[in-house]
Coordinates of all heavy atoms in Angstrom, one line a residue:
R687 N 21.3 -28.4 3.8 CA 21.9 -27.3 3.0 C 21.6 -26.0 3.6 O 20.4 -25.8 4.4 CB 21.5 -27.4 1.6 CG 19.9 -27.1 1.4 CD 19.7 -26.9 -0.2 NE 19.5 -28.1 -0.9 CZ 19.5 -28.2 -2.2 NH1 19.7 -27.1 -2.9 NH2 19.4 -29.5 -2.7
S688 N 22.4 -25.0 3.4 CA 22.3 -23.6 3.9 C 22.5 -22.6 2.9 O 23.2 -22.9 2.0 CB 23.3 -23.5 5.1 OG 23.1 -22.2 5.7
Q689 N 21.9 -21.5 3.1 CA 22.1 -20.2 2.2 C 21.7 -20.7 0.8 O 22.5 -20.3 -0.2 CB 23.4 -19.7 2.3 CG 23.7 -19.1 3.7 CD 25.0 -18.4 3.8 OE1 25.9 -18.5 3.0 NE2 25.1 -17.5 4.9
S690 N 20.6 -21.4 0.7 CA 20.2 -21.8 -0.8 C 19.2 -20.7 -1.2 O 18.7 -20.0 -0.5 CB 19.6 -23.2 -0.7 OG 20.5 -24.2 -0.2
A691 N 19.1 -20.8 -2.6 CA 17.9 -19.9 -3.1 C 16.6 -20.7 -3.1 O 16.6 -21.9 -3.3 CB 18.4 -19.5 -4.5
V692 N 15.6 -20.1 -2.7 CA 14.3 -20.8 -2.6 C 13.2 -20.0 -3.3 O 13.1 -18.7 -3.0 CB 13.9 -21.1 -1.2 CG1 12.5 -21.7 -1.0 CG2 14.9 -21.9 -0.4
I693 N 12.5 -20.5 -4.2 CA 11.3 -19.8 -4.7 C 10.2 -20.7 -4.6 O 10.2 -22.0 -4.4 CB 11.6 -19.5 -6.2 CG1 11.8 -20.7 -7.1 CG2 12.6 -18.5 -6.3 CD1 11.9 -20.4 -8.5
S694 N 8.9 -20.2 -4.8 CA 7.7 -21.0 -4.8 C 7.0 -20.8 -6.1 O 7.0 -19.9 -6.7 CB 6.7 -20.5 -3.6 OG 6.3 -19.0 -3.9
I695 N 6.4 -21.9 -6.6 CA 5.8 -21.9 -7.9 C 4.2 -22.2 -7.6 O 3.9 -23.3 -7.2 CB 6.4 -23.0 -8.8 CG1 7.8 -22.9 -8.8 CG2 5.7 -23.0 -10.2 CD1 8.3 -21.8 -9.5
N696 N 3.4 -21.2 -8.1 CA 2.1 -21.4 -8.1 C 1.5 -21.8 -6.7 O 0.3 -22.6 -6.5 CB 1.6 -22.5 -9.1 CG 1.7 -22.1 -10.5 OD1 1.7 -20.8 -10.7 ND2 1.8 -23.0 -11.4
N697 N 2.2 -21.6 -5.7 CA 1.8 -21.7 -4.2 C 1.7 -23.1 -3.8 O 1.3 -23.4 -2.7 CB 0.3 -21.0 -4.1 CG 0.1 -20.7 -2.6 OD1 0.9 -20.4 -1.8 ND2 -1.2 -20.8 -2.3
N698 N 2.0 -24.1 -4.7 CA 1.9 -25.5 -4.3 C 3.2 -26.3 -4.6 O 3.1 -27.5 -4.5 CB 0.7 -26.2 -5.1 CG 1.0 -26.4 -6.6 OD1 2.0 -25.8 -7.0 ND2 0.1 -26.9 -7.3
S699 N 4.2 -25.6 -4.7 CA 5.5 -26.3 -4.9 C 6.7 -25.3 -4.6 O 6.6 -24.1 -4.6 CB 5.7 -26.8 -6.4 OG 5.8 -25.8 -7.3
I700 N 7.7 -25.7 -4.2 CA 8.9 -25.1 -3.8 C 10.2 -25.6 -4.5 O 10.4 -27.0 -4.6 CB 9.2 -25.2 -2.3 CG1 8.0 -24.6 -1.4 CG2 10.6 -24.5 -1.8 CD1 8.2 -24.7 0.0
V701 N 10.9 -24.7 -5.1 CA 12.3 -25.2 -5.7 C 13.4 -24.6 -4.8 O 13.3 -23.4 -4.5 CB 12.4 -24.6 -7.2 CG1 13.7 -24.9 -7.8 CG2 11.3 -24.9 -8.0
I702 N 14.3 -25.5 -4.5 CA 15.4 -25.1 -3.8 C 16.8 -25.3 -4.6 O 16.9 -26.4 -5.1 CB 15.5 -25.8 -2.4 CG1 16.8 -25.4 -1.4 CG2 15.4 -27.3 -2.5 CD1 16.7 -25.8 -0.1
I703 N 17.6 -24.3 -4.6 CA 18.7 -24.3 -5.6 C 20.0 -24.1 -4.8 O 20.2 -23.0 -4.1 CB 18.5 -23.2 -6.7 CG1 17.0 -23.5 -7.2 CG2 19.5 -23.3 -7.7 CD1 16.6 -22.2 -8.0
G704 N 21.0 -24.9 -5.2 CA 22.4 -24.5 -4.6 C 22.5 -24.5 -3.2 O 21.8 -25.1 -2.3
G705 N 23.5 -23.6 -2.7 CA 23.7 -23.5 -1.2 C 25.0 -24.3 -0.9 O 25.9 -24.5 -1.8

Side-chain angles (χ1 to χ4, degrees):
R687 64 170 83 195
S688 180
Q689 294 188 342
S690 302
V692 179
I693 62 170
S694 60
I695 307 292
N696 292 335
N697 202 33
N698 66 358
S699 60
I700 294 173
V701 181
I702 183 165
I703 308 165

